[in-house]
Amino acid sequence: MVTLQLSCVGVRYGQREILADISTPPLHAGEVIAVIGPNAAGKSTLFRRIAGLLAGAGEIRITGRAGCRPCYLPQDAATNAVLTVYESIVLARKQGSSWRVGERDLAAIDAVLHDLEIEHLAFRGLGELSGGQRQLVSIAQTLVRAPQILLLDEPTSALDLHRQFEVLSLLKRLARERRICVLASLHDINQALRFADRVMVLAGGRLKAIGVPREVITTALLGEVYDITARIEGGDGGMPYVVVEGSSRSPSAA
Amino acid sequence: MTDASLAAISRAPAAREGYRTLGTRKRAILLAIALLLAASLVADMMIGPARYGVSEVLSALARPDSVPVQTRVVIWDIRLPVALMAVVVGAALSVAGAQMQTILNNPLASPFTLGISAAAGFGASLALVFGVAIVPSALEFVVPLNAFVVAMGAAMLIHLLSQRQGVTTETVVLLGIALVFTFNALLALLQFFASEQALGAVVFWMMGSLGKATWSKLAMTAGVLALCLPLFARRAWALTALRLGDEKAASFGVDTRRLRLETMMLVSLAAAVPVAFVGTIGFVGLVGPHIARILIGEDQRYFLPASALAGALMLSASSVVSKSLIPGLIFPISIVTALVGVPFFFSLILTNRRRSW
């Protein structure tokens, strides 16, 4: 079983320190970890560092399976490539291997199209997709590579409410069934509360907290990290949710 | 894979079948272009001061001893190297353009628009006007070698600049365009000082000509193509991934920086060698890849051979047309390529519902 652990991880761009001293307990296969924090907190940089796309300080320890490389889904970007959705998923699956696309590859691609309910998009051109459809295709490109560690940078940012719910439910189910360690950056705190087993809170390139969502997400933390006043409701046995009441910055400070 | 999804797949294999059909269609398109190319190649050998029939040409090719000596000499020593040169140069320029467009993520990239052709023109003119040989060599190769050295120099300059921190692919294209202007200005300066005879030679060279093709020049150009094609083919998945954006390609495990470096080196070679031998033929490197993209998409397993075949067909057909317009007169190939290719390209773009870029 794969585990991922970060020790004193940091990244600098020139003189600017983007991430510093990020250390976590072991993050296990089967877990969904939500990474939350305000804009420019260092979430994308952390994912890129874990994925091996950025060099930096500290150690990223992956144990349990030889040659396991984290599978990273960057934030959505439009493309004008003349490829169909199906071809783009084949491309993700076959990267680094032979030209031949075998039955196992096709079965895996069909399965992922089915899981994400995007079979009807299979032969659309990538340039014809809406932002939300593009995001689903990107998730398909990631899942088809049979990842052990999955790093998803804002995977639901372009999706409607129904699709957000469906995609996060699917990710949680796949994490359990296929023993994947899923890290997903989210802006919606309520999604983190609902779907994550653990939550990592980043602000200013530092790790503010990591733990069970109900324990970590408090009104004090929301105030400190997001500069908002909020209350948390529905905690007694039900699903807790955050109600934002306003900005805690004074008008003069803003 | 979940049980539910496996069950669903066994019930509905439509997507998989659709992908197979798509592959079959693309292979059929490749075959169709290849057949057209074969027809064009034969036609290219039929036309000239002496006209031959299809059967004569095929007999001369298959069983040289079965045809008169004169026919054999004309076909094998004069027309075949020229006809094959059109195919090989067209393929090389088109593949170079295709990969430039891929790695620079820009539809305007081609050996012509990035200044490699203009650089070659300047190098050749140095030899034609002042007799300057950058690398001492046999007289026959002074002009192409000059063209090659300056073209490679321009390609390497673009490459070195593109490696600098913060330089985007758009900047590289701008640098290329700046090089076009620079070399054109230098060329104009050479023409200003050139004798009337040298000026004629420069103008003729700039128009491009397959007429001076020999088996040795053909072998060198074909060798470059034979070197580049398998290396591009090995990187087919990675090059296709580049079109999804750098970040996405990197997330697939592609070393984008290294891929660009290796591809640019090969592209420079594939662009510089043909231009050195046949002069500046600009249109093929820009349009060949676009035709391939419209017909077949950007999966490099198909896009790469389609670009090569489309470029080869364009230049081969242009060679046929250049000899057919006025009997006894061979029009400069670059003029014919553009004039024949532009209407065809326009019609393809305007009638095509799918976006080509």
Side-chain angles (χ1 to χ4, degrees), chain B residues 150-192:
Chain B
V150 183
M152 280 302 276
M156 286 304 106
L157 178 67
I158 287 189
H159 178 69
L160 287 175
L161 292 171
S162 73
Q163 294 298 299
R164 289 170 66 105
Q165 198 81 32
V167 172
T168 63
T169 51
E170 287 85 355
T171 320
V172 175
V173 175
L174 278 175
L175 288 169
I177 291 170
L179 276 188
V180 173
F181 282 104
T182 308
F183 281 114
N184 281 344
L186 290 171
L187 187 64
L189 193 67
L190 282 184
Q191 287 173 335
F192 182 74

Short mmCIF file of all heavy atoms in Angstrom, two decimals, chain B residues 150-192:
data_model
loop_
_atom_site.label_atom_id
_atom_site.label_comp_id
_atom_site.label_asym_id
_atom_site.label_seq_id
_atom_site.Cartn_x
_atom_site.Cartn_y
_atom_site.Cartn_z
N VAL B 150 24.92 28.68 -42.98
CA VAL B 150 24.24 29.89 -42.47
C VAL B 150 22.85 29.52 -41.93
O VAL B 150 22.41 30.02 -40.90
CB VAL B 150 24.16 30.99 -43.56
CG1 VAL B 150 23.51 32.25 -42.99
CG2 VAL B 150 25.54 31.33 -44.07
N ALA B 151 22.15 28.61 -42.63
CA ALA B 151 20.82 28.20 -42.17
C ALA B 151 20.90 27.53 -40.80
O ALA B 151 20.09 27.80 -39.89
CB ALA B 151 20.18 27.25 -43.17
N MET B 152 21.89 26.64 -40.63
CA MET B 152 22.05 25.98 -39.33
C MET B 152 22.42 27.00 -38.26
O MET B 152 21.97 26.90 -37.12
CB MET B 152 23.15 24.90 -39.41
CG MET B 152 22.70 23.59 -40.02
SD MET B 152 21.30 22.83 -39.17
CE MET B 152 22.10 21.94 -37.86
N GLY B 153 23.26 27.98 -38.66
CA GLY B 153 23.62 29.03 -37.71
C GLY B 153 22.38 29.78 -37.24
O GLY B 153 22.21 30.03 -36.04
N ALA B 154 21.49 30.10 -38.19
CA ALA B 154 20.26 30.83 -37.83
C ALA B 154 19.39 29.96 -36.91
O ALA B 154 18.85 30.44 -35.90
CB ALA B 154 19.49 31.20 -39.09
N ALA B 155 19.28 28.69 -37.25
CA ALA B 155 18.45 27.79 -36.44
C ALA B 155 19.02 27.66 -35.03
O ALA B 155 18.27 27.68 -34.05
CB ALA B 155 18.38 26.42 -37.11
N MET B 156 20.34 27.57 -34.94
CA MET B 156 20.97 27.44 -33.62
C MET B 156 20.81 28.73 -32.82
O MET B 156 20.61 28.69 -31.60
CB MET B 156 22.45 27.08 -33.76
CG MET B 156 22.72 25.66 -34.18
SD MET B 156 21.95 24.45 -33.07
CE MET B 156 20.61 23.88 -34.05
N LEU B 157 20.91 29.87 -33.52
CA LEU B 157 20.72 31.16 -32.83
C LEU B 157 19.32 31.22 -32.24
O LEU B 157 19.15 31.58 -31.06
CB LEU B 157 20.94 32.31 -33.81
CG LEU B 157 20.74 33.72 -33.23
CD1 LEU B 157 21.81 34.02 -32.20
CD2 LEU B 157 20.77 34.77 -34.34
N ILE B 158 18.33 30.84 -33.04
CA ILE B 158 16.95 30.84 -32.54
C ILE B 158 16.84 29.90 -31.36
O ILE B 158 16.22 30.21 -30.34
CB ILE B 158 15.98 30.39 -33.67
CG1 ILE B 158 15.84 31.52 -34.67
CG2 ILE B 158 14.62 29.99 -33.11
CD1 ILE B 158 14.78 31.31 -35.70
N HIS B 159 17.48 28.75 -31.50
CA HIS B 159 17.39 27.78 -30.42
C HIS B 159 18.03 28.30 -29.14
O HIS B 159 17.45 28.21 -28.05
CB HIS B 159 18.02 26.46 -30.83
CG HIS B 159 17.97 25.49 -29.70
ND1 HIS B 159 16.78 24.95 -29.28
CD2 HIS B 159 18.91 25.06 -28.86
CE1 HIS B 159 17.01 24.20 -28.24
NE2 HIS B 159 18.29 24.24 -27.96
N LEU B 160 19.24 28.88 -29.26
CA LEU B 160 19.93 29.38 -28.07
C LEU B 160 19.11 30.48 -27.39
O LEU B 160 18.98 30.50 -26.16
CB LEU B 160 21.32 29.92 -28.44
CG LEU B 160 22.35 28.85 -28.79
CD1 LEU B 160 23.64 29.49 -29.26
CD2 LEU B 160 22.62 27.94 -27.59
N LEU B 161 18.55 31.36 -28.21
CA LEU B 161 17.73 32.43 -27.63
C LEU B 161 16.49 31.85 -26.94
O LEU B 161 16.07 32.34 -25.89
CB LEU B 161 17.31 33.43 -28.72
CG LEU B 161 18.46 34.26 -29.30
CD1 LEU B 161 17.98 35.05 -30.51
CD2 LEU B 161 19.05 35.19 -28.26
N SER B 162 15.94 30.80 -27.54
CA SER B 162 14.72 30.22 -26.96
C SER B 162 14.99 29.53 -25.63
O SER B 162 14.08 29.27 -24.86
CB SER B 162 14.08 29.23 -27.94
OG SER B 162 14.85 28.05 -27.99
N GLN B 163 16.27 29.21 -25.37
CA GLN B 163 16.61 28.54 -24.10
C GLN B 163 16.76 29.53 -22.94
O GLN B 163 16.86 29.12 -21.79
CB GLN B 163 17.93 27.76 -24.26
CG GLN B 163 17.83 26.60 -25.21
CD GLN B 163 16.84 25.56 -24.76
OE1 GLN B 163 16.97 24.96 -23.69
NE2 GLN B 163 15.80 25.34 -25.53
N ARG B 164 16.80 30.82 -23.26
CA ARG B 164 16.97 31.80 -22.18
C ARG B 164 15.74 31.84 -21.30
O ARG B 164 14.63 31.59 -21.75
CB ARG B 164 17.23 33.19 -22.77
CG ARG B 164 18.59 33.32 -23.40
CD ARG B 164 18.67 34.61 -24.17
NE ARG B 164 18.59 35.75 -23.26
CZ ARG B 164 19.63 36.50 -22.91
NH1 ARG B 164 20.80 36.23 -23.39
NH2 ARG B 164 19.48 37.52 -22.11
N GLN B 165 16.00 32.19 -20.05
CA GLN B 165 14.92 32.26 -19.05
C GLN B 165 13.84 33.26 -19.49
O GLN B 165 14.16 34.36 -19.94
CB GLN B 165 15.52 32.71 -17.71
CG GLN B 165 14.64 32.42 -16.52
CD GLN B 165 14.77 30.96 -16.07
OE1 GLN B 165 15.83 30.38 -16.20
NE2 GLN B 165 13.69 30.39 -15.56
N GLY B 166 12.61 32.87 -19.40
CA GLY B 166 11.50 33.79 -19.64
C GLY B 166 11.16 34.00 -21.10
O GLY B 166 10.30 34.81 -21.42
N VAL B 167 11.85 33.27 -22.01
CA VAL B 167 11.53 33.41 -23.43
C VAL B 167 10.40 32.46 -23.79
O VAL B 167 10.50 31.25 -23.61
CB VAL B 167 12.77 33.13 -24.31
CG1 VAL B 167 12.41 33.10 -25.78
CG2 VAL B 167 13.83 34.20 -24.07
N THR B 168 9.29 33.01 -24.29
CA THR B 168 8.14 32.17 -24.62
C THR B 168 8.21 31.75 -26.09
O THR B 168 9.03 32.27 -26.85
CB THR B 168 6.83 32.96 -24.40
OG1 THR B 168 6.83 34.06 -25.31
CG2 THR B 168 6.71 33.47 -22.98
N THR B 169 7.33 30.85 -26.47
CA THR B 169 7.31 30.40 -27.87
C THR B 169 6.93 31.55 -28.79
O THR B 169 7.40 31.62 -29.92
CB THR B 169 6.34 29.22 -28.05
OG1 THR B 169 5.09 29.58 -27.50
CG2 THR B 169 6.85 27.98 -27.39
N GLU B 170 6.09 32.46 -28.31
CA GLU B 170 5.73 33.63 -29.12
C GLU B 170 6.97 34.49 -29.40
O GLU B 170 7.15 34.99 -30.51
CB GLU B 170 4.68 34.51 -28.42
CG GLU B 170 3.29 33.93 -28.38
CD GLU B 170 3.08 32.98 -27.21
OE1 GLU B 170 4.07 32.71 -26.49
OE2 GLU B 170 1.96 32.48 -27.04
N THR B 171 7.82 34.62 -28.36
CA THR B 171 9.05 35.40 -28.54
C THR B 171 9.94 34.76 -29.60
O THR B 171 10.55 35.45 -30.42
CB THR B 171 9.84 35.47 -27.20
OG1 THR B 171 8.92 35.63 -26.15
CG2 THR B 171 10.85 36.57 -27.20
N VAL B 172 9.99 33.43 -29.58
CA VAL B 172 10.83 32.72 -30.55
C VAL B 172 10.35 33.01 -31.98
O VAL B 172 11.16 33.26 -32.88
CB VAL B 172 10.81 31.19 -30.27
CG1 VAL B 172 11.58 30.45 -31.34
CG2 VAL B 172 11.39 30.90 -28.90
N VAL B 173 9.03 32.99 -32.17
CA VAL B 173 8.49 33.27 -33.50
C VAL B 173 8.83 34.71 -33.91
O VAL B 173 9.23 34.97 -35.05
CB VAL B 173 6.96 33.03 -33.53
CG1 VAL B 173 6.38 33.45 -34.87
CG2 VAL B 173 6.66 31.57 -33.27
N LEU B 174 8.72 35.64 -32.97
CA LEU B 174 9.09 37.03 -33.26
C LEU B 174 10.56 37.14 -33.63
O LEU B 174 10.93 37.86 -34.57
CB LEU B 174 8.79 37.92 -32.05
CG LEU B 174 7.35 38.38 -31.90
CD1 LEU B 174 7.16 39.14 -30.61
CD2 LEU B 174 6.94 39.26 -33.09
N LEU B 175 11.41 36.41 -32.89
CA LEU B 175 12.85 36.43 -33.20
C LEU B 175 13.08 35.89 -34.61
O LEU B 175 13.89 36.43 -35.37
CB LEU B 175 13.61 35.55 -32.20
CG LEU B 175 13.74 36.09 -30.78
CD1 LEU B 175 14.28 35.02 -29.85
CD2 LEU B 175 14.66 37.30 -30.77
N GLY B 176 12.34 34.86 -34.97
CA GLY B 176 12.45 34.27 -36.30
C GLY B 176 12.09 35.29 -37.37
O GLY B 176 12.79 35.43 -38.38
N ILE B 177 11.01 36.01 -37.13
CA ILE B 177 10.57 37.01 -38.10
C ILE B 177 11.62 38.13 -38.22
O ILE B 177 11.93 38.61 -39.31
CB ILE B 177 9.18 37.56 -37.71
CG1 ILE B 177 8.15 36.44 -37.91
CG2 ILE B 177 8.81 38.78 -38.55
CD1 ILE B 177 6.79 36.73 -37.35
N ALA B 178 12.22 38.47 -37.07
CA ALA B 178 13.29 39.48 -37.10
C ALA B 178 14.46 38.96 -37.94
O ALA B 178 15.08 39.73 -38.70
CB ALA B 178 13.75 39.79 -35.67
N LEU B 179 14.75 37.67 -37.83
CA LEU B 179 15.84 37.09 -38.63
C LEU B 179 15.52 37.14 -40.12
O LEU B 179 16.40 37.40 -40.94
CB LEU B 179 16.08 35.63 -38.23
CG LEU B 179 16.96 35.37 -37.02
CD1 LEU B 179 17.25 33.87 -36.90
CD2 LEU B 179 18.27 36.12 -37.12
N VAL B 180 14.24 36.91 -40.46
CA VAL B 180 13.83 36.98 -41.87
C VAL B 180 14.18 38.36 -42.42
O VAL B 180 14.81 38.49 -43.48
CB VAL B 180 12.31 36.73 -42.02
CG1 VAL B 180 11.87 36.99 -43.47
CG2 VAL B 180 11.95 35.31 -41.62
N PHE B 181 13.80 39.41 -41.68
CA PHE B 181 14.07 40.78 -42.13
C PHE B 181 15.57 41.04 -42.22
O PHE B 181 16.06 41.67 -43.17
CB PHE B 181 13.40 41.79 -41.20
CG PHE B 181 11.92 41.92 -41.47
CD1 PHE B 181 11.00 41.33 -40.63
CD2 PHE B 181 11.44 42.60 -42.58
CE1 PHE B 181 9.63 41.42 -40.88
CE2 PHE B 181 10.10 42.71 -42.85
CZ PHE B 181 9.18 42.12 -41.99
N THR B 182 16.31 40.55 -41.21
CA THR B 182 17.75 40.78 -41.20
C THR B 182 18.42 40.16 -42.42
O THR B 182 19.18 40.81 -43.15
CB THR B 182 18.37 40.18 -39.92
OG1 THR B 182 17.64 40.66 -38.81
CG2 THR B 182 19.83 40.54 -39.78
N PHE B 183 18.12 38.87 -42.64
CA PHE B 183 18.78 38.18 -43.77
C PHE B 183 18.31 38.73 -45.12
O PHE B 183 19.09 38.78 -46.07
CB PHE B 183 18.57 36.67 -43.67
CG PHE B 183 19.49 36.03 -42.67
CD1 PHE B 183 18.99 35.45 -41.52
CD2 PHE B 183 20.86 36.02 -42.88
CE1 PHE B 183 19.84 34.88 -40.60
CE2 PHE B 183 21.72 35.45 -41.96
CZ PHE B 183 21.22 34.88 -40.81
N ASN B 184 17.05 39.15 -45.19
CA ASN B 184 16.57 39.74 -46.44
C ASN B 184 17.29 41.05 -46.72
O ASN B 184 17.62 41.36 -47.86
CB ASN B 184 15.06 39.94 -46.39
CG ASN B 184 14.32 38.64 -46.66
OD1 ASN B 184 14.91 37.68 -47.15
ND2 ASN B 184 13.05 38.59 -46.33
N ALA B 185 17.54 41.83 -45.65
CA ALA B 185 18.26 43.09 -45.82
C ALA B 185 19.69 42.83 -46.27
O ALA B 185 20.22 43.49 -47.19
CB ALA B 185 18.25 43.87 -44.50
N LEU B 186 20.33 41.82 -45.64
CA LEU B 186 21.71 41.48 -46.02
C LEU B 186 21.75 40.98 -47.47
O LEU B 186 22.67 41.29 -48.22
CB LEU B 186 22.27 40.40 -45.08
CG LEU B 186 22.56 40.87 -43.64
CD1 LEU B 186 22.90 39.69 -42.74
CD2 LEU B 186 23.72 41.86 -43.65
N LEU B 187 20.73 40.23 -47.82
CA LEU B 187 20.64 39.70 -49.19
C LEU B 187 20.50 40.86 -50.19
O LEU B 187 21.15 40.87 -51.24
CB LEU B 187 19.44 38.76 -49.27
CG LEU B 187 19.27 37.99 -50.56
CD1 LEU B 187 20.45 37.04 -50.77
CD2 LEU B 187 17.97 37.18 -50.53
N ALA B 188 19.64 41.84 -49.83
CA ALA B 188 19.45 43.00 -50.70
C ALA B 188 20.77 43.76 -50.87
O ALA B 188 21.10 44.23 -51.96
CB ALA B 188 18.38 43.91 -50.12
N LEU B 189 21.54 43.82 -49.78
CA LEU B 189 22.84 44.50 -49.82
C LEU B 189 23.78 43.78 -50.80
O LEU B 189 24.46 44.42 -51.61
CB LEU B 189 23.44 44.51 -48.41
CG LEU B 189 24.64 45.42 -48.18
CD1 LEU B 189 24.22 46.89 -48.29
CD2 LEU B 189 25.23 45.17 -46.80
N LEU B 190 23.78 42.44 -50.71
CA LEU B 190 24.61 41.66 -51.63
C LEU B 190 24.18 41.90 -53.07
O LEU B 190 25.01 42.06 -53.97
CB LEU B 190 24.49 40.17 -51.32
CG LEU B 190 25.26 39.62 -50.12
CD1 LEU B 190 25.09 38.11 -50.04
CD2 LEU B 190 26.74 39.96 -50.25
N GLN B 191 22.85 41.93 -53.28
CA GLN B 191 22.33 42.13 -54.64
C GLN B 191 22.72 43.50 -55.16
O GLN B 191 22.99 43.69 -56.34
CB GLN B 191 20.81 41.96 -54.65
CG GLN B 191 20.40 40.50 -54.49
CD GLN B 191 18.91 40.33 -54.32
OE1 GLN B 191 18.22 41.25 -53.88
NE2 GLN B 191 18.40 39.16 -54.64
N PHE B 192 22.76 44.48 -54.25
CA PHE B 192 23.13 45.86 -54.61
C PHE B 192 24.54 45.89 -55.19
O PHE B 192 24.84 46.61 -56.14
CB PHE B 192 23.01 46.74 -53.37
CG PHE B 192 23.31 48.18 -53.61
CD1 PHE B 192 22.40 48.99 -54.29
CD2 PHE B 192 24.49 48.75 -53.16
CE1 PHE B 192 22.67 50.33 -54.52
CE2 PHE B 192 24.78 50.08 -53.40
CZ PHE B 192 23.86 50.87 -54.08
#
